[in-house]
Amino acid sequence: MSETILQVKNLNKFFQTKKGLLHAVDGVSFDLEIGNTLGVVGESGCGKSTLGRTIIRLIEPTGGEVYFEGKDITKLKGKALISFRKNIQMVFQDPFSSLDSRKTVAQIIAEPIRIHKLAKDKADLERQSLELMDTVGLAKRWYNTYPHQLDGGRRQRIGIARALALRPKILICDEPVSALDVSIQAQILNLLKDLQAERNLTCIFITHDLSVVYNFSDDIAVMYLGKLVEKAPAEELFRNPLHPYTRALLSAIPVPDLSRKKNRIILQGEVTSPINLPDECRFKKRCYECEETCGVAEPVLREVSPGHFVACFHCGSGA
Amino acid sequence: MAEELVLDIKDLVVRYDTDAGSVKAVNGINLKLRRKRSIGLVGETGAGKTTTALAILNLVPEPAGVIKNGSILVDGKNILAMSESELQKTRGKGVSMIFQDPMTALNPVFTVGEQIAESIRIHEGVSEKEAMRRAVEMLEIVGIAANRVNDYPHQLSGGMKQRVVIAIALACRAKLLIADEPTTALDVTIQAQVLELIRSYREKYDTAMLLITHDLGIVAESCDEVAVMYAGNIVEYGTLEDVFNQTKHPYTEGLFNSLPNIIERRSKLTPIPGMVPDPTELPEGCVFAERCAYATDECGKTVQADQWLSDTHMVRCSRYCEPDFNIIRRIKT
């Protein structure tokens, strides 16, 4: 049995807007084991980034608990919170806006080490920074350059070096490669894979790109309007998707392979507003399989086969 | 050729003269597109895809951008030799373009109805009222309710804005549609809707399409032919079957190998080593030589020419002069 490192229980994040309550993350629960990767997929606005940020309390949750190594971190305050953040670090989406343009590469990477006082002296700080640059494949000669002098791939390497500086146990990657070209994307994904294997890192990998997530994750969770609608081991999810939304999502990926012609499910309409949601299935308005019962209550996530969870009244019910 | 050519680009060269030097954006490309057909122009950022598209409309931003050489025939007429008034007639009516980013392609101070009606009014010479009526019709064709006609762009979602951009491009039934990354800003389920919309429209009006994208999956599903662009060169060109299943150019091979593989899960990816060359200092010979696993010393010096391996399949790689040369791309089954 592997050990659970992170437990998210019924996590909520609501935003008060002029029009009403916006349900960004709504009752999300999952467990994550050491060394595993959970991929979180969904379309823009489904709450996947908010989920990532709420877990490390860059955004304060409205409700629910997050247990890191058995300790509830939603209650942490002050110094305890700062100290806890060492354990979970984040790689952000856009390497063009997530790096301070007035700091050099060296300063950006050294900042977390400085804040957490993990270097003995200046020489040690420099040694650690250079080591990190080496780990992520950045040549020494970039040490004193500014982010704008580098291309997207190198910038994302800085973002990764900064996230690794505190030797975190969990890395949350929020669309780490979506701003990059495919050939560079492959370099960064390989780097993340190597790092994960070397350091036994646990990862939460947030993305809208299903082929990337399939390649990278052990388990995949699909989000729709703030809710987890399906969660399963990656292969199971791709082979046997149950939720109508997951099936539509998978069928919509354009595959660069001429021999694989498939039946595409084209969803009607667009994602509905996450504000003031009625008590019914959130996917009902776009669902091609919905029945009257779907409008009566919200389906809950239940386990239909070992490790395969789905929130839909009609799927996996003994069939 | 029996079928009429809608687009015929010959030896096009485009430069941007900047303070940092002359950016060699497009370096001698040839491309032919027949009626009803569609070509996918693929490549990474900076490959020259958008510059090629802009050149077809004679919209390369001046003064930095200069078309140094070549001709572009749209429906038999050379775009590059046209007067401003002829160009205005051609843009929107002969060739129309779907721009990449729907958030910036629309004018925020006009309603979407007015923006669609504008091109109809200009090209068809109809009254304002008639143009508006047809604008409503176009909105419905792209799947937006008629009562949104007086909405401003900010009142619409990203997917709806892109539909409006498409409605504008399709309004005058141009023979040639240039779609520059039409779905890059959209979610996959919305992308599927938009691609389906373009497909059904083209079928109805026999529109030819040049689809610019970085996504080989979209090309596989929407195009008949593929042109792979790298550093301003079309390095490989052919039918889908040619390029996807009989890949010849090492760069195309590299692109395919970089993609996360849906079949072999968790396998390591094979990125292309190194980076795209600085477009102000391109090598004299092959532009891909320094990243290429098959390159010889000669490659960096030899000026590359189009080599036709069959009637439909072209590769710009001098190693194919050697009778036994071939790349070893494994086809995933």
Side-chain angles (χ1 to χ4, degrees), chain A residues 150-174:
Chain A
L150 305 176
D151 63 279
R154 290 211 177 97
R155 278 188 236 199
Q156 198 54 295
R157 287 175 198 268
I158 304 174
I160 295 170
R162 176 176 63 181
L164 292 176
L166 301 174
R167 308 204 142 262
K169 291 177 180 158
I170 299 179
L171 200 59
I172 299 182
C173 304
D174 187 2

Side-chain angles (χ1 to χ4, degrees), chain A residues 43-44 151 154 181 183 186-187 190 193-194 211 214-218 234-235 254-255 264 267 269-270 286, chain B residues 44-45 157 160 187-189 191 193 217-218 221 240 255 258 260 262 265-269 271-272 274-275:
Chain A
E43 298 180 272
S44 353
D151 63 279
R154 290 211 177 97
D181 274 319
S183 68
Q187 293 175 5
N190 277 347
K193 265 185 207 172
D194 289 342
S211 44
Y214 181 64
N215 189 263
F216 207 85
S217 316
D218 298 295
E235 266 158 60
V255 185
R264 170 154 298 171
L267 291 177
E270 302 187 21
R286 298 175 82 193
Chain B
E44 298 177 272
T45 316
S157 69
M160 283 164 97
D187 281 317
V188 276
T189 62
Q191 166 171 296
Q193 291 174 1
I218 293 178
E221 284 171 21
L240 282 187
L255 269 187
S258 301
I262 295 232
R265 208 174 77 77
R266 303 226 93 183
S267 58
K268 279 281 280 265
L269 306 173
I272 305 171
M275 290 204 279

Side-chain angles (χ1 to χ4, degrees), chain A residues 224 268-273 277-278 280-288 290 294:
Chain A
Y224 191 79
Q268 299 303 309
E270 302 187 21
V271 180
T272 41
S273 162
L277 291 158
E280 58 180 26
C281 173
R282 290 177 189 197
F283 188 57
K284 191 184 138 216
K285 290 200 179 72
R286 298 175 82 193
C287 190
Y288 45 95
C290 85
C294 302

Side-chain angles (χ1 to χ4, degrees), chain A residues 136-198:
Chain A
V136 298
L138 272 174
K140 255 189 197 159
R141 66 193 146 110
W142 306 117
Y143 192 72
N144 282 317
T145 55
Y146 288 89
H148 78 266
Q149 294 169 284
L150 305 176
D151 63 279
R154 290 211 177 97
R155 278 188 236 199
Q156 198 54 295
R157 287 175 198 268
I158 304 174
I160 295 170
R162 176 176 63 181
L164 292 176
L166 301 174
R167 308 204 142 262
K169 291 177 180 158
I170 299 179
L171 200 59
I172 299 182
C173 304
D174 187 2
E175 302 266 14
V177 295
S178 59
L180 308 174
D181 274 319
V182 276
S183 68
I184 307 298
Q185 173 179 309
Q187 293 175 5
I188 298 294
L189 287 174
N190 277 347
L191 169 67
L192 284 170
K193 265 185 207 172
D194 289 342
L195 289 169
Q196 192 182 13
E198 271 164 33

Side-chain angles (χ1 to χ4, degrees), chain A residues 25-96:
Chain A
V25 174
D26 198 345
V28 170
S29 304
F30 62 84
D31 289 359
L32 194 54
E33 285 166 5
I34 289 181
N36 273 9
T37 299
L38 174 72
V40 180
V41 289
E43 298 180 272
S44 353
C46 73
K48 53 192 192 305
S49 288
T50 308
L51 173 66
R53 286 166 190 240
T54 310
I55 289 171
I56 61 171
R57 287 184 64 192
L58 281 177
I59 299 176
E60 288 299 323
T62 312
E65 291 111 48
V66 177
Y67 294 92
F68 173 77
E69 291 181 335
K71 221 164 64 195
D72 185 4
I73 57 171
T74 53
K75 308 282 186 305
L76 293 179
K77 280 199 187 99
K79 273 186 187 155
L81 176 62
I82 292 174
S83 169
F84 147 75
R85 286 224 170 98
K86 280 203 293 278
N87 298 308
I88 308 184
Q89 286 286 304
M90 193 143 176
V91 177
F92 295 92
Q93 171 167 10
D94 181 1
F96 296 85

Side-chain angles (χ1 to χ4, degrees), chain B residues 11 15 43 87 108 116-117 170 174 181 193 198 227-228 245 280 288 296:
Chain B
D11 210 18
R15 301 261 180 280
L87 277 174
I116 302 171
L170 302 182
E181 306 261 13
Q193 291 174 1
I198 295 177
V228 181
N245 292 346
T280 59
F288 189 60
T296 61

Side-chain angles (χ1 to χ4, degrees), chain B residues 96-99 177-182 198 209-213:
Chain B
S96 64
M97 181 145 172
I98 299 172
F99 290 94
L177 180 65
I178 299 170
D180 187 2
E181 306 261 13
I198 295 177
M209 174 170 75
L210 181 69
L211 176 74
I212 296 174
T213 178

